[in-house]
Amino acid sequence: MPTRAVVCVPTYDERENIEPLVRALGEVLDTTRDRVLVIDDGSPDGTGEIADRLAAELEWLDVLHRTKKEGIGRAYLAGFARVLESDAELVLEMDCDFSHDPSDVPRLIAACEEGADLALGSRWVSGGGTVNWGLVRRLISRGGSLYARLVLGVSVRDLTGGFKCFRRRVLETIDLDAIAARGYGFQIEGTYRTLRAGFRVVELPITFVDRRVGESKMSGGIVIEAMRQVPVLRWKALRGRL
């Protein structure tokens, strides 16, 4: 049977989360035609080994091992390349730490099956929101999305969101090799390139829950990289280089 969807899950030191997440995805996916791809960046805590053990048990789970941590953007690009070698029609991104609810995955898949080219789980549309975030983090996230939206001149409200479902043709059309951002600027650039290529992007409300175990990978450097990348993207677009 052809593969319908592959959920790409990048990991680095997620030993507490990887097995519960994989098993939760198995409950909501149609595992006769959907798969999960764990992309582990050489986690020193043994996340990759746990993923291998699960893959030996679950025929719908694959593991891609990378030798070092290079940022979430590089991990996703490696995962996309692997998926595009298969016949999968839909490619999803999601975090490993349960900040993205596995029960929302079927909604993203359905949106693309109903005509969207990119379905984006959005915190900042009506019905969306966050849980366990302080005021400063909410201001940074909402302010960053507003800043990117205004500079880039687009209507998508959650440009920094990383819970997505792409149609295969989107990833085959946009120049993945040209994406410069390694951190969370990758999310802004991926969505912007999708819009610039004329694809239809829809936002579905989600509730983003701060990770329940482990440490956040967010840092000031990641935020600065993303904000610096935004005017560069606009400059490239205005000169027809995007």
Side-chain angles (χ1 to χ4, degrees):
M1 180 180 294
T3 303
R4 177 180 66 164
V6 178
V7 182
C8 294
V9 182
T11 59
Y12 186 80
D13 284 357
E14 294 286 358
R15 63 175 297 118
E16 299 97 338
N17 291 313
I18 184 61
E19 183 164 1
L21 181 78
V22 166
R23 296 199 183 279
L25 286 171
E27 293 294 320
V28 300
L29 294 170
D30 178 353
T31 55
T32 64
R33 55 181 181 151
D34 300 329
R35 303 188 67 82
V36 175
L37 174 63
V38 172
I39 307 132
D40 187 67
D41 276 2
S43 297
D45 73 345
T47 300
E49 288 78 3
I50 296 171
D52 284 338
R53 171 175 59 78
L54 292 168
E57 172 191 346
L58 306 169
E59 63 178 17
W60 43 268
L61 175 64
D62 301 301
V63 184
L64 173 60
H65 291 280
R66 286 158 42 84
T67 58
K68 61 182 179 179
K69 185 179 180 182
E70 295 181 302
I72 195 170
R74 295 301 165 201
Y76 272 129
L77 290 174
F80 292 167
R82 172 67 65 87
V83 175
L84 292 176
E85 293 174 354
S86 73
D87 62 350
E89 172 59 26
L90 303 175
V91 187
L92 291 95
E93 301 179 12
M94 76 177 297
D95 292 347
C96 186
D97 60 8
F98 285 92
S99 54
H100 300 144
D101 188 341
S103 66
D104 286 326
V105 168
R107 295 172 54 222
L108 297 183
I109 291 175
C112 283
E113 290 184 320
E114 292 166 5
D117 296 305
L118 167 58
L120 171 61
S122 179
R123 298 158 292 186
W124 309 130
V125 294
S126 178
T130 63
V131 173
N132 298 331
W133 273 22
L135 177 61
V136 172
R137 188 169 179 186
R138 288 201 303 272
L139 289 174
I140 289 173
S141 182
R142 295 200 73 155
S145 287
L146 176 61
Y147 162 74
R149 188 164 78 247
L150 293 175
V151 172
L152 298 176
V154 298
S155 60
V156 172
R157 298 186 64 83
D158 196 349
L159 281 167
T160 61
F163 192 19
K164 300 176 177 179
C165 182
F166 291 93
R167 281 190 176 273
R168 178 189 188 94
R169 66 190 183 201
V170 175
L171 299 181
E172 291 177 331
T173 299
I174 65 177
D175 188 356
L176 294 174
D177 291 335
I179 295 180
R182 294 192 174 196
Y184 283 86
F186 170 83
Q187 305 298 356
I188 298 173
E189 186 167 354
T191 298
Y192 187 52
R193 285 180 179 272
T194 299
L195 291 165
R196 291 284 301 174
F199 290 109
R200 180 174 175 239
V201 178
V202 301
E203 292 185 89
L204 305 180
I206 63 163
T207 299
F208 184 101
V209 181
D210 202 13
R211 65 165 49 239
R212 59 189 192 184
V213 296
E215 296 183 1
S216 174
K217 309 300 190 301
M218 180 62 70
S219 69
I222 288 173
V223 173
I224 291 170
E225 181 211 40
M227 295 305 99
R228 285 179 174 173
Q229 189 67 19
V230 169
V232 174
L233 287 173
R234 183 63 171 168
W235 181 84
K236 288 180 178 179
L238 291 173
R239 284 155 180 78
R241 296 172 55 188
L242 194 66

